[in-house]
Amino acid sequence: MTIQADLSDGYAPGGAPSPGAPPPDPAEPPSTHPLYSRLTPRYVPPRPHYAPRRAPVPAPPLRLSPMALLRVLGLGAVVVVGLWLAQAEPSVRLDALFATLAHLTGLLAGYGILVMLLLMARVPAIEHGVGADRLARWHALGGRHVLTLCFAHALFALCGYAVHTGTDVFDAAVDLMGYPGLAAAAVGTALLAAVGVTSARTARRRVRHETWRAVHLLTYAGAALAFAHQLAGPDLAGGAFAAWLWTLLHTTVGTLLVWYRLVVPARQALRHSLRVTEVRVEGPDVVSVVMQGLGLDALRAEPGQFFRWRFLSRRLWRTALPFSLSAPVRDDTLRITVKACGDHTRRIRRLRPGVRVLATGPFGAMTAHRRTRRKVLLLAGGVGITPMRALFETLPGEPGDLTLLYRAGNAAQLVLREELEGIAAARGAALHYLLGPSDGSFDPLAPQALRNLVPDLAQHDVYLCGPPGMSTAAVAALERAGVPADRIHSEQFTF
């Protein structure tokens, strides 16, 4: 189904009249956006005769690109290896060889722990430039490498001590546990291993989210024990500069963690006083939650981004849930649209107006800043329409520049349909509903089917959001249809 431009209905994003609509009656207060029609409208007085002073335009937010972040992290690893080389003493003795390998793997493991903590510190410049989903994947991959380095460090140190003292490995292990610093390091390694085991894909499916998060907090204890162990180790204790640099790195990462994971969320909660104002049914098992607060423009939330929401009701306050904004921030109002697919999301349907909300964010990099082409294709599946709906309204473009493809099993599963059709009509954008079962004989996301709907598909930027299976298949089809991988922008929120 294609919705063509129709400027006769008077709809335009933001509540402004479209070019074909009759001029508003100056005696009446201005209309509000249909999205917020149930909220109390505010009368806007007529403009004064003098020209008001323009508000300063805020500077664009700082964003660190994925490649820039990788370069910085790679440079840090080179510096760590340099510290090891500066203090290494070449020797052909077997115990000395084991010792120097233990020192290298230990330094790299300590640096890797810092990197893992930095990736999850929720620093805005990193989150908005790299994307939360990519950071989560890097964190998971890096965690496996860090554990490997920790075990290699322990093995090399144990073998080196056994060779040096002429004892077997078991007796060497017992002797080493008599040193407090080494015992603390062993405990820290065990804590990190417990985090890694519970984060493995097979184990994660069997562990409740709250349990996984509680175990994950052990990472901080493991990192602290590793730091204490390394300060007493030969590679740092013997060099004042190395010890100073290592302490500076840990202090910096620790400060970022405390600031962005504790101080900033608490400050936002006190400053914005966000509360639920309405829970609106949008379709089968789908509701929109409308929230109002104070000074929400200061959040600088962009369409396509998401927050982690903690609803302070009896059965929801323990968990922060990631949901995208399904509409732009307007009049100190935020909206999310949620599909019931688990215990927590089902409880959201029973929220009542007045419930206090703690919103941490915004996060995500699937915003207008990724755009590189004039024409844009928005591809959504299921409730993945929520960030696409916000982008559909706000991405700059002339008639014909925007196309939205919405994949769903049937017409009853289409969410926010009236809003999408109104935006398409007002903006002269194309809207196609791709209906049918995922296991049907015809695949509407096949490369040729996509080219039939969007003939110049290879000249588009593509924003994609949907279930993991659909997203994976869509990316493969888009690449086969000629869209370069660097122009396919997507994020997955299955953390």
Side-chain angles (χ1 to χ4, degrees), residues 194-395:
V195 173
V197 169
T198 56
S199 298
R201 187 172 300 177
T202 54
R204 181 75 185 273
R205 298 192 186 102
R206 296 176 173 83
V207 177
R208 296 178 67 248
H209 181 74
E210 290 80 4
T211 303
W212 174 82
R213 287 191 62 85
V215 174
H216 226 67
L217 293 177
L218 297 176
T219 303
Y220 301 118
L225 290 171
F227 174 58
H229 165 66
Q230 287 178 316
L231 282 183
D235 282 323
L236 297 180
F241 173 76
W244 172 84
L245 179 61
W246 212 246
T247 303
L248 178 63
L249 288 175
H250 281 75
T251 303
T252 301
V253 173
T255 301
L256 291 174
L257 280 166
V258 171
W259 182 257
Y260 287 111
R261 297 198 67 130
L262 295 177
V263 176
V264 170
R267 186 178 62 179
Q268 287 182 344
L270 295 173
R271 178 179 182 182
H272 301 299
S273 300
L274 199 62
R275 294 182 182 274
V276 174
T277 58
E278 183 182 5
V279 178
R280 185 183 310 159
V281 176
E282 302 286 3
D285 296 325
V286 179
V287 296
S288 285
V289 181
V290 181
M291 294 157 281
Q292 282 189 313
L294 303 174
L296 297 186
D297 287 342
L299 294 173
R300 301 180 70 177
E302 301 176 63
Q305 291 185 317
F306 69 98
F307 286 77
R308 289 179 172 90
W309 310 88
R310 192 181 297 273
F311 298 96
L312 302 186
S313 64
R314 184 172 63 89
R315 305 188 70 181
L316 282 173
W317 68 270
R318 295 182 182 88
T319 304
L321 303 169
F323 296 118
S324 299
L325 296 173
S326 61
V329 179
R330 184 179 291 109
D331 295 332
D332 282 339
T333 300
L334 301 176
R335 188 185 76 172
I336 59 175
T337 302
V338 181
K339 181 177 181 179
C341 55
D343 292 339
H344 295 298
T345 49
R346 279 191 288 269
R347 290 167 185 154
I348 288 177
R349 296 181 299 176
R350 296 191 288 272
L351 285 173
R352 294 290 181 265
V355 171
R356 189 76 178 265
V357 185
L358 303 183
T360 307
F363 303 110
M366 194 173 62
T367 59
H369 89 277
R370 283 191 172 181
R371 183 177 182 178
T372 62
R373 293 292 186 273
R374 180 175 63 86
K375 293 191 174 184
V376 175
L377 169 64
L378 305 174
L379 180 54
V383 78
I385 190 62
T386 53
M388 298 296 104
R389 183 255 178 253
L391 289 167
F392 195 41
E393 177 180 344
T394 58
L395 279 177

Side-chain angles (χ1 to χ4, degrees), residues 84 88-89 95-105 235:
W84 168 74
E89 297 180 359
D95 60 341
L97 177 61
F98 278 131
T100 191
L101 289 176
H103 297 159
L104 175 61
T105 52
D235 282 323

